[in-house]
Amino acid sequence: VKWLNKHLSKLWPFVSQAATAVVKESVEPLLDDYRPPGIKSLKFNKFSLGNVSPKIEGIRIQNLQPGQIIMDIDFRWGGDPSIILAVDARVASLPIQLKDLQVFTVVRVVFQLSEEIPCISAVVVALLAEPEPKIQYTLKAVGGSLTAIPGLSDMIDDTVNSIVNDMLQWPHRLVVPLGVNVDTSELELKPEGKLSVTVVKATSLKNKELIGKSDPYVTLYVRPMFKVKTKVIDDNLNPEWNETFELIVEDKETQSVIFEVYDEDNLQQDKRLGVAKLAVNNIVPETPSEITLKLMQSVDSLKIKDYRDRGSLHLKVMYHPFTKEEQLEALESEKKAIEERKRLKEAGVIGSTMDALGGAASLVGSGVGFVGTGVAGGVGLVGSGLGAGAGLVGSGIGAVGSGLGKAGKFMGRTVTGHLGMSRKSGSSSTVPQPDQPSA
């Protein structure tokens, strides 16, 4: 560790300079893909990784398999980057500076060995979910005030958080081939099963309206990129939806379903009524279960400051492990789902690829063919391969040259060019503001 840190500090000025352009080119398209509906455009105005190198605080060999070396690296970075975001929101445009960056995480690196020099044919990089990556920073408006764009800090936090959760946090990973025609199929993330979730009802929700009652709906996802939503029930604190969704699970042992209950507001941003989390490994395969979840302020216990009762969410769930054939179908379905989201975004039907898609739908077999699927704005899709069941597996990334493009070819992420990384902070990705009364 001491030897690595010594040489990392020497290499950093060169690494920082080389990586700056690559990271900017790679991450800017992701900011656009993952930006919340409240922001029209999110780009880098200035980006530099600075002069302070990261520190490695420990290395462990967690597992040793034939042909692989798996290492977990304790990583800390109190950097001095110069990052300014150009934010164009519905109400104002503002440059935002990111300051006081602190990163604490465990990086998992998997080396696939080969008999040819350099003896490593591919590398996998991911951030372990436990302990949860901590990426802390402060935001400062340049030549203005953050209050000019209500909820801006939460929106940026949500965007960063979603990118990290959806791309880098284990079981998701970046796969980097180090040779020509390298077989990385064993390293790629693959779908394990399908989780059927029926959102039955909510009870005893807390009212956020000054006049009348809240108009609740539920968003749910295993991966933020494939968020889906129920219909809105007007003026009701005990709404019943009885809508069923099919979500793809890539790692039953580590993944969870996140539920977010919101109050729809036509005059301003929707208000979050509460959130809940259901670990997939608590569900017995092929066994229907009825589950009641208590709504909380946050799924991160360290961020909960208000323990008031927020009501409950009632669900019916069943987990089905995939056969080999179903797994292959799900791989192809995921690619089609990503392409369809891109098409909807380009057509202006959805604001970003992160928008929740709504409407009751079901999967045909294990894959795509969604019927009667609606998008949040009321646009119907028939057999489009995208909809309320679109909790489909990881968005593949294939980089050409120095940039990253959502290729969706693999379940993990294969990078054939240079590599850039993003960081996280915050909570959900639907922009609505938590715990504020609305008009």
Side-chain angles (χ1 to χ4, degrees):
V1 170
K2 184 178 180 181
W3 179 83
L4 282 173
N5 282 326
K6 179 180 178 180
H7 289 281
L8 184 58
S9 64
K10 292 180 179 180
L11 285 170
W12 186 250
F14 303 95
V15 172
S16 175
Q17 183 176 358
T20 291
V22 175
V23 173
K24 184 175 180 180
E25 291 176 12
S26 303
V27 175
E28 253 190 1
L30 299 178
L31 291 176
D32 187 55
D33 279 343
Y34 286 82
R35 63 177 169 79
I39 296 179
K40 294 189 294 183
S41 174
L42 186 61
K43 297 181 178 180
F44 288 117
N45 193 352
K46 183 178 181 181
F47 185 90
S48 171
L49 292 176
N51 300 314
V52 179
S53 65
K55 299 295 182 184
I56 296 172
E57 298 189 334
I59 297 177
R60 293 173 302 283
I61 304 296
Q62 293 294 88
N63 193 13
L64 191 59
Q65 299 178 0
Q68 288 186 6
I69 295 176
I70 301 176
M71 301 173 62
D72 289 349
I73 302 171
D74 296 330
F75 181 92
R76 177 188 295 265
W77 187 33
D80 62 340
S82 178
I83 302 175
I84 298 179
L85 293 170
V87 180
D88 184 10
R90 300 180 188 277
V91 295
S93 298
L94 200 64
I96 302 296
Q97 183 180 13
L98 186 150
K99 301 178 62 178
D100 305 324
L101 178 66
Q102 298 284 332
V103 180
F104 312 91
T105 188
V106 178
V107 181
R108 171 159 289 179
V109 183
V110 181
F111 298 95
Q112 179 168 279
L113 306 180
S114 75
E115 296 179 354
E116 299 178 358
I117 298 296
C119 301
I120 298 174
S121 61
V123 176
V124 175
V125 181
L127 308 182
L128 290 191
E130 295 293 339
E132 183 180 359
K134 298 296 181 184
I135 300 172
Q136 303 166 350
Y137 51 81
T138 57
L139 299 175
K140 179 183 178 182
V142 179
S145 171
L146 287 175
T147 58
I149 305 177
L152 178 61
S153 294
D154 288 338
M155 286 189 243
I156 293 177
D157 285 348
D158 290 345
T159 301
V160 175
N161 179 60
S162 296
I163 290 174
V164 173
N165 285 345
D166 219 34
M167 290 185 56
L168 289 176
Q169 189 164 304
W170 190 267
H172 307 111
R173 73 283 304 266
L174 294 170
V175 181
V176 186
L178 299 182
V180 180
N181 297 324
V182 175
D183 181 10
T184 60
S185 59
E186 292 301 315
L187 300 176
E188 304 290 349
L189 183 63
K190 301 177 180 65
E192 289 187 354
K194 176 179 65 178
L195 182 65
S196 174
V197 181
T198 299
V199 182
V200 180
K201 63 181 179 179
T203 53
S204 303
L205 297 177
K206 300 308 169 187
N207 195 16
K208 293 291 183 181
E209 299 287 345
L210 298 178
I211 301 175
K213 298 177 182 178
S214 293
D215 308 314
Y217 65 93
V218 180
T219 67
L220 57 151
Y221 60 91
V222 174
R223 297 192 54 217
M225 175 59 79
F226 298 102
K227 185 177 296 185
V228 292
K229 63 179 289 187
T230 68
K231 61 188 176 183
V232 177
I233 303 294
D234 294 333
D235 198 36
N236 197 326
L237 299 180
N238 296 282
E240 295 187 12
W241 293 282
N242 287 305
E243 293 187 51
T244 300
F245 304 89
E246 308 285 353
L247 307 177
I248 297 299
V249 176
E250 299 149 318
D251 189 338
K252 185 176 185 292
E253 297 305 312
T254 63
Q255 289 186 312
S256 299
V257 186
I258 305 298
F259 300 88
E260 301 168 327
V261 183
Y262 289 101
D263 172 21
E264 184 184 58
D265 196 316
N266 295 323
L267 301 179
Q268 52 186 316
Q269 294 169 356
D270 296 353
K271 304 299 185 295
R272 187 163 60 205
L273 301 178
V275 298
K277 180 177 179 179
L278 174 63
V280 181
N281 64 358
N282 290 335
I283 302 172
V284 179
E286 307 292 10
T287 304
S289 303
E290 295 186 7
I291 296 175
T292 299
L293 299 177
K294 182 180 179 181
L295 294 174
M296 308 292 290
Q297 181 185 23
S298 171
V299 293
D300 185 349
S301 59
L302 297 177
K303 296 180 180 179
I304 298 178
K305 299 179 180 179
D306 182 355
Y307 289 89
R308 288 179 298 177
D309 180 35
R310 297 167 185 270
S312 301
L313 193 62
H314 302 262
L315 313 166
K316 294 180 181 178
V317 300
M318 189 173 77
Y319 177 73
H320 166 69
F322 278 149
T323 63
K324 188 69 175 179
E325 291 75 18
E326 290 172 332
Q327 186 181 70
L328 294 175
E329 288 181 19
L331 281 166
E332 185 62 27
S333 300
E334 182 267 351
K335 180 179 178 180
K336 293 180 180 179
I338 293 172
E339 292 174 350
E340 184 63 23
R341 278 187 178 255
K342 285 185 176 181
R343 189 189 68 79
L344 292 174
K345 179 185 173 184
E346 291 172 358
V349 177
I350 57 177
S352 81
T353 51
M354 286 295 297
D355 284 0
L357 303 182
S362 62
L363 285 166
V364 177
S366 64
V368 252
F370 301 101
V371 180
T373 299
V375 181
V379 178
L381 302 173
V382 179
S384 65
L386 184 64
L392 296 174
V393 277
S395 57
I397 293 185
V400 179
S402 62
L404 287 137
K406 293 277 178 99
K409 182 176 181 181
F410 298 111
M411 299 318 306
R413 286 142 187 96
T414 301
V415 179
T416 54
H418 302 288
L419 177 63
M421 289 180 62
S422 177
R423 298 294 185 263
K424 98 160 208 190
S425 174
S427 52
S428 73
S429 74
T430 16
V431 189
Q433 301 300 300
D435 302 313
Q436 297 177 6
S438 59

